[in-house]
């Protein structure tokens, strides 16, 4: 009977101890994902050292791309969009009003009327 109780306690402790590191590691990864852990013991091998070096290099190069490529290209794209917008409306200022334009046969071809409104205006 005593032996059975000892075995139950031991299994409960090992189960609890087995679960704690996985939960603790998950929380640690979430809250301390910015800094690289030191490798000690059996984890300190060539594979893990190389993997950490790759992670550190990736973090540094992603910051480089973000700062010197992504942000300037967004700024350039915004300037280009603004210039195109201004050119578009400058072009429309030179055109006659829509009411005064000539309506040719090939413009606004309707094979059947739309079923809403007067049948000539599109939904959008």
């Amino acid at each position: 009977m005593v032996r059975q109780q000892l075995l139950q306690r031991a299994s409960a402790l090992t189960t609890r101890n087995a679960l704690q590191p996985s939960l603790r590691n998950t929380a640690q990864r979430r809250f301390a994902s910015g800094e690289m852990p030191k490798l000690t013991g059996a984890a300190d091998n060539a594979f893990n050292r190389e993997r950490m070096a790759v992670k550190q290099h990736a973090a540094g190069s992603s910051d480089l791309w973000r700062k010197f490529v992504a942000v300037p290209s967004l700024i350039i794209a915004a300037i280009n969009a603004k210039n195109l917008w201004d050119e578009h409306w400058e072009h429309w200022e030179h055109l006659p009003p829509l009411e005064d334009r000539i309506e040719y046969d090939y413009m606004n071809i309707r094979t059947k009327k739309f079923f809403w409104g007067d049948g000539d205006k599109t939904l959008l």
Side-chain angles (χ1 to χ4, degrees):
M1 173 127 165
V2 174
R3 183 174 181 204
Q4 188 177 13
Q5 288 176 347
L6 287 174
L7 286 174
Q8 286 176 349
R9 285 184 190 164
S11 67
L13 286 175
T14 52
T15 306
R16 191 178 325 137
N17 289 340
L19 290 177
Q20 283 178 351
S22 65
L23 295 174
R24 187 176 64 233
N25 287 342
T26 303
Q28 284 175 345
R29 274 190 298 242
R30 282 197 186 132
F31 295 116
S33 61
E35 83 183 48
M36 297 292 173
K38 297 277 186 185
L39 296 175
T40 58
D44 189 17
N45 57 34
F47 176 76
N48 286 339
R49 282 192 300 270
E50 182 182 354
R51 201 162 160 220
M52 281 186 55
V54 168
K55 281 184 180 180
Q56 289 173 347
H57 175 72
S61 61
S62 67
D63 287 342
L64 177 81
W65 277 96
R66 191 176 299 116
K67 290 177 188 171
F68 297 113
V69 174
V71 173
S73 58
L74 288 173
I75 292 169
I76 291 169
I79 291 169
N80 184 38
K82 174 74 169 106
N83 288 339
L84 290 173
W85 176 267
D86 291 343
E87 287 177 15
H88 171 74
W89 289 112
E90 184 180 328
H91 174 72
W92 271 82
E93 288 175 0
H94 299 298
L95 294 175
L98 288 174
E99 301 83 27
D100 297 342
R101 293 190 194 157
I102 300 170
E103 198 165 321
Y104 295 100
D105 293 338
Y106 61 85
M107 297 172 73
N108 296 326
I109 296 174
R110 305 276 192 263
T111 56
K112 66 178 186 177
K113 292 188 176 287
F114 296 116
F115 60 87
W116 57 81
D118 63 356
D120 191 39
K121 307 251 185 327
T122 64
L123 188 61
L124 302 175

